[in-house]
Every structure is written in C-alpha cells, then in structure tokens.
C-alpha cells in the first residue's frame, strides 16, 4: 500500500469512529442519548419539601404521654407497624434491605423475618383475617404473608405508588404520598372508594404510615413529627399529634442526620394500646393520647 493510500485509509477510519461516537447518531430502536443535565429524571410522590402542617392554629393539637419505652432496632427503616394480639410486627424499607418481621416488644429482638421479594423497597403493612399485607414503593405490587409464620402465600397488584397501609377489620386503606387515600377490597385488591384528606380546606400530602384507631385514620406525615387524625367519612383532619418530644434533642439530630423520621403507628383495640416509633429510631414508645 502506498503512503498516500495509507493516509486516505486512516482519514476514513477516523471519520467512521467519530460518527459512531456522536450522541445523535443512532441505529433504529436505540434509546436517545441525552446530554448531561438533560437525563430523564424519575418523578415520585416523595419529591419536593414536607408540607408545613398544621395549616390552621384552630385544629386541635395533642402531645402523647409516654407509658413505657422499649428498645427498637435503630437500623430498621420502619415503614409499617402492627400490634396484633400482643404480637408486634414491623415492615421495613430500602432497596435490597426490606423485610417483614415479628419483634419482641420487651427487647426489640427480631423473632422471625422474611425478606421482601425481589429486593423491592418495602412499604406499609396491615393485617386482615390472618393475612399480613405488605406494599412496595414503586413496583405496583405487594406481598401477602401468613401472620403466624410470615411465609409468603400470595401477591397483589395496584396502580401507582404504595406508602402506608391499614385495615378497619373489613377493608384496607392505602396511602401513596398524595392527599388521596384509597379504600381497597382485600380479595381482588380493587379500589372501592377514595378519601381526599384536607385540613382547613387545604390538601394534606405526604400521608405515609396509616393506622385505624378508634374509628379514625391516623397518618404520619412524611418528614414531619406530626400525625394527622383523619375522619374517614369526609377526609377532614380532626386533629394533630406532635411526636417530636418523644426523642431527646440529641436523638432527633442523630436520627435526622441518618435520614430517619417519625413513622410507625400500631393500635390494639382489645387493650386500647398505642405504639409509636420511627425510621431508624432507637426506641419504640407505648403512649396515651387524649381522645
């Protein structure tokens, strides 16, 4: 090959390589390559900043009184909490770390646990007729466990995100981070009604962990120390519970620096006991709250 021919071949190779590396050069079916800063972002209901609740000073505000303080796994990213027949169940979150567990109330020790399938980000839990339901955040799928063994026995599907879950003895109530709570028929997991939650006429978003307490829906508002007491008939917030003082100022700073926040409500109607905790909290509290 002559020197001139070799030079022409080198130029052609450089041009072909440059075309191959250009972001706007694609073969059919390729996903467009976007410049840095224009990559498509995943939008979730957790985006933004926490709502500035309470909205109105006229809405009743209560603070719980501690009856007993119990040890809690401070590595547990608590998404759901249950007290059923004296047994404590907890659902935890984070990708690849989520599970459903039964824990000892007295010691905080994990008695048994089942990892959330497929490494999904676990969310709220609820018990109904011996079946323990667990949501996942963005997969539109939940898992059903046997309450007695925590063995997986079924699965459910739903639209959108899953955050909190509770039951009134007949139906399930599902939050998804918006002001709307879905009432779900448990067998087919279909929505039968929705509740739009408001306080002082303003929608309350970031409704997270749910619990059915004395005919009210209680909901942690994500990234705040407030629990909303919701009338399930009309969605009005009847009052607020401020749980900030359950932790010391030093504990609040430590938990907050790790990404923890109040989240976890359990109620046993038989004994009228209320338990409260949070994501990465070192304690689980038995409390009384003014009715």
């Amino acid at each position: 090959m002559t020197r001139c021919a070799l030079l022409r071949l080198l130029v052609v190779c450089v041009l072909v390589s440059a075309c191959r590396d250009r972001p706007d050069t694609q073969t059919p079916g390729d996903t467009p390559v976007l410049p840095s800063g224009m990559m498509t972002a995943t939008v979730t209901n957790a985006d933004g900043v926490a709502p500035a609740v309470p909205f109105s000073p006229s809405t009743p505000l209560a603070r719980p009184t501690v009856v007993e303080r119990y040890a809690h796994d401070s590595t547990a990213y608590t998404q759901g909490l249950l007290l059923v027949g004296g047994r404590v169940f907890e659902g935890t979150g984070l990708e690849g770390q989520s599970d459903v567990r039964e824990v000892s109330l007295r010691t905080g020790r994990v008695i048994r646990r089942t990892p959330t399938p497929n490494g999904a980000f676990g969310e709220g839990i609820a018990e109904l007729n011996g079946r323990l339901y667990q949501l996942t955040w963005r997969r539109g799928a939940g898992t059903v466990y046997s309450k007695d063994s925590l063995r997986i026995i079924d699965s459910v599907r739903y639209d959108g995100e899953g955050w909190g879950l509770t039951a009134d003895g007949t139906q399930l109530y599902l939050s998804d981070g918006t002001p709307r709570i879905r009432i779900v028929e448990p067998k087919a997991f279909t929505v039968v009604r929705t509740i739009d939650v408001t306080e002082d006429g303003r929608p309350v978003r970031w409704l997270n962990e749910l619990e059915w307490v004395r005919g009210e829906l209680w909901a942690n508002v994500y990234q705040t120390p407030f629990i909303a007491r919701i009338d399930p008939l009309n969605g009005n917030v009847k009052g607020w519970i401020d749980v900030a003082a359950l932790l010391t100022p030093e504990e609040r700073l430590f938990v907050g620096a790790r990404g923890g926040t109040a989240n976890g409500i359990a109620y046993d109607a038989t004994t009228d006991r209320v338990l409260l905790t949070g994501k990465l909290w070192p304690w689980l509290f038995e409390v009384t709250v003014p009715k």
Side-chain angles (χ1 to χ4, degrees):
M1 181 180 293
T2 67
R3 188 174 181 182
C4 185
L6 182 61
L7 182 59
R8 284 197 299 268
L9 179 61
L10 180 60
V11 170
V12 169
C13 290
V14 170
L15 290 173
V16 169
S17 177
C19 288
R20 185 185 299 120
D21 292 339
R22 285 176 57 191
D24 57 351
T25 302
Q26 303 161 37
T27 57
D30 281 351
T31 300
V33 179
L34 301 177
S36 177
M38 291 183 62
M39 299 302 291
T40 303
T42 301
V43 178
T44 79
N45 294 342
D47 293 342
V49 297
V53 294
F55 295 138
S56 172
S58 64
T59 305
L61 177 65
R63 292 178 174 83
T65 300
V66 175
V67 175
E68 189 67 70
R69 184 181 70 171
Y70 306 102
H72 179 252
D73 180 1
S74 61
T75 68
Y77 198 74
T78 306
Q79 302 288 64
L81 192 68
L82 288 175
L83 181 58
V84 183
R87 299 167 65 189
V88 177
F89 298 91
E90 187 171 9
T92 70
L94 299 179
E95 296 282 352
Q97 302 178 43
S98 303
D99 63 18
V100 169
R101 56 180 67 178
E102 181 180 355
V103 301
S104 166
L105 177 60
R106 289 291 169 188
T107 67
R109 181 179 62 87
V110 177
I111 299 170
R112 60 177 59 86
R113 64 182 292 271
T114 300
T116 305
N118 304 314
F121 195 119
E123 285 283 350
I125 62 173
E127 188 273 338
L128 197 58
N129 301 323
R131 293 161 65 91
L132 195 63
Y133 297 80
Q134 182 192 33
L135 303 176
T136 58
W137 181 18
R138 291 183 294 176
R139 299 200 184 187
T143 305
V144 184
Y145 307 80
S146 163
K147 182 193 70 176
D148 293 329
S149 65
L150 296 189
R151 180 175 58 87
I152 296 174
I153 57 176
D154 205 351
S155 62
V156 295
R157 302 288 304 182
Y158 51 90
D159 293 330
E161 297 179 22
W163 286 40
L165 193 69
T166 191
D168 63 2
T170 304
Q171 297 172 311
L172 295 164
Y173 294 75
L174 185 155
S175 68
D176 59 10
T178 72
R180 178 162 291 177
I181 293 174
R182 288 174 262 179
I183 302 177
V184 177
E185 190 281 319
K187 289 184 179 179
F189 223 77
T190 53
V191 177
V192 297
R193 186 166 73 87
T194 59
I195 303 168
D196 291 320
V197 178
T198 61
E199 188 233 337
D200 195 37
R202 299 172 61 181
V204 181
R205 60 186 180 85
W206 278 13
L207 300 170
N208 202 0
E209 154 76 337
L210 298 176
E211 184 70 6
W212 185 266
V213 183
R214 308 184 193 111
E216 299 175 348
L217 273 172
W218 288 15
N220 285 110
V221 179
Y222 180 51
Q223 295 290 3
T224 81
F226 295 104
I227 295 173
R229 299 173 60 168
I230 302 163
D231 185 332
L233 296 179
N234 54 31
N236 291 337
V237 175
K238 303 166 57 176
W240 294 98
I241 302 168
D242 182 356
V243 305
L246 291 179
L247 298 180
T248 67
E250 294 77 16
E251 288 170 338
R252 288 199 298 273
L253 284 173
F254 180 71
V255 167
R258 298 167 62 218
T261 188
N263 200 56
I265 311 166
Y267 177 69
D268 187 340
T270 304
T271 58
D272 199 35
R273 299 172 77 187
V274 176
L275 303 179
L276 302 177
T277 192
K279 305 173 188 287
L280 310 179
W281 277 27
W283 306 108
L284 185 152
F285 299 90
E286 182 175 346
V287 303
T288 59
V289 179
K291 298 181 182 180

